[in-house]
């Protein structure tokens, strides 16, 4: 069974520092990996989608890397801002015929001014 | 283009009552799913569908029913609400397996 782990569970950094969030998965048979952001009491906002054949994906200050063979993805957020404070979730899309998502538990990020 | 729309946003039920959580998408997506999110448990899959008339159970299906008569709608039914079903429920949709999922804004359900 696919297991998705996110470490650390919580992270606090001063404004301006770069954020590094980790996601690991046990089975490399995935279609893609998706990073989401969730603000308190809100829904999930998709940040980046990285296909299994890709090594990285970028959007503005965000960069996600994927190493499928080692079962790891990293989300980098450059020059963090207080508005980046949120919970970040990663999810892998399974290669079964149903295309289900398996989520990690998330990393709660606080960026202090 | 409204994306994924969930109604209601908040609901309080008494134990034993039934209700339907609505989910609709206007993107012609084939894949749709229901998740519940609980503190310390993360997001868990309840039911999912790969097209009209095709559904299956996820990780925590007990106490919930689904049906998919159209591509657009995927309602989740609670047959007899229990306090253990107090949670935040999210609906999500995706066009095909190589694409990402889009999530609704959620329904916060409290069963007393």
């Amino acid at each position: 069974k696919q297991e998705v782990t996110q470490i650390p569970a919580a992270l606090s950094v001063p404004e301006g520092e770069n954020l590094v969030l980790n996601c690991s998965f046990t089975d490399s048979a995935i279609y893609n990996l998706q990073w989401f952001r969730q603000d308190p009491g809100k829904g999930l906002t998709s940040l980046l989608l990285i296909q299994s054949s890709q090594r990285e994906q970028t959007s503005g200050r965000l960069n996600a890397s994927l190493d499928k063979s080692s079962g790891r993805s990293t989300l980098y957020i450059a020059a963090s801002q207080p508005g980046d404070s949120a919970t970040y979730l990663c999810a892998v899309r399974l290669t079964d015929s149903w295309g289900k998502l398996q989520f990690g538990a998330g990393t709660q990020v606080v960026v202090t001014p | 283009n409204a994306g994924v729309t969930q109604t209601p946003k908040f609901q309080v039920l008494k134990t034993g009552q039934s209700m339907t959580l609505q989910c609709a998408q206007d993107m012609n997506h084939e894949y749709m799913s229901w998740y519940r999110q609980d503190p310390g448990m993360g997001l868990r899959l309840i039911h999912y569908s790969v097209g009209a008339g095709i559904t299956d159970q996820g990780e925590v299906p007990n106490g919930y029913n689904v049906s998919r008569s159209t591509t657009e709608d995927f309602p989740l039914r609670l047959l007899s609400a229990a306090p253990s079903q107090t949670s935040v429920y999210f609906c999500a949709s995706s066009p095909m397996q190589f694409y990402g999922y889009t999530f609704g804004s959620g329904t916060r359900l409290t069963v007393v």
Side-chain angles (χ1 to χ4, degrees):
Chain A
K1 182 192 172 191
Q2 177 77 265
E3 302 280 347
V4 182
T5 304
Q6 290 186 250
I7 294 173
L11 183 62
S12 181
V13 299
E15 181 177 2
E17 270 199 16
N18 296 332
L19 282 164
V20 180
L21 308 178
N22 297 303
C23 173
S24 62
F25 48 95
T26 55
D27 188 343
S28 62
I30 63 170
Y31 275 122
N32 51 52
L33 186 145
Q34 199 167 358
W35 282 96
F36 295 91
R37 169 187 171 134
Q38 185 176 30
D39 294 298
K42 302 295 185 182
L44 279 69
T45 300
S46 181
L47 297 174
L48 288 169
L49 174 71
I50 182 164
Q51 301 293 344
S52 62
S53 59
Q54 295 179 308
R55 298 287 290 182
E56 65 178 328
Q57 192 67 253
T58 298
S59 176
R61 294 186 294 114
L62 277 59
N63 174 278
S65 66
L66 176 65
D67 184 343
K68 199 174 71 164
S69 60
S70 67
R72 293 180 183 177
S73 177
T74 302
L75 178 66
Y76 301 90
I77 302 177
S80 62
Q81 304 167 0
D84 294 327
S85 298
T87 296
Y88 292 83
L89 297 152
C90 71
V92 296
R93 187 150 191 181
L94 307 182
T95 56
D96 63 11
S97 58
W98 302 97
K100 294 177 283 187
L101 280 182
Q102 185 72 40
F103 278 89
T107 295
Q108 186 175 11
V109 171
V110 174
V111 181
T112 55
Chain B
N1 189 340
V4 179
T5 303
Q6 290 185 240
T7 55
K9 293 191 183 304
F10 302 93
Q11 183 71 48
V12 178
L13 285 180
K14 293 182 179 179
T15 298
Q17 286 185 319
S18 63
M19 80 159 294
T20 299
L21 279 62
Q22 301 292 344
C23 176
Q25 51 90 9
D26 61 356
M27 299 173 284
N28 202 33
H29 287 177
E30 291 296 324
Y31 292 81
M32 295 188 76
S33 304
W34 275 102
Y35 293 85
R36 60 177 289 173
Q37 186 176 37
D38 303 289
M41 302 294 289
L43 279 145
R44 293 180 292 170
L45 183 63
I46 306 172
H47 284 286
Y48 53 95
S49 171
V50 297
I54 308 171
T55 65
D56 205 349
Q57 298 179 351
E59 184 183 353
V60 287
N62 292 343
Y64 307 95
N65 274 357
V66 292
S67 61
R68 187 133 177 238
S69 56
T70 67
T71 299
E72 295 77 20
D73 300 299
F74 191 41
L76 179 71
R77 297 182 185 84
L78 282 70
L79 303 178
S80 178
S84 61
Q85 294 179 304
T86 293
S87 186
V88 181
Y89 292 84
F90 289 103
C91 179
S93 74
S94 167
M96 286 167 41
Q97 289 174 336
F98 292 103
Y99 291 81
Y101 271 88
T102 300
F103 277 73
S105 58
T107 295
R108 187 173 296 273
L109 176 69
T110 302
V111 182
V112 297

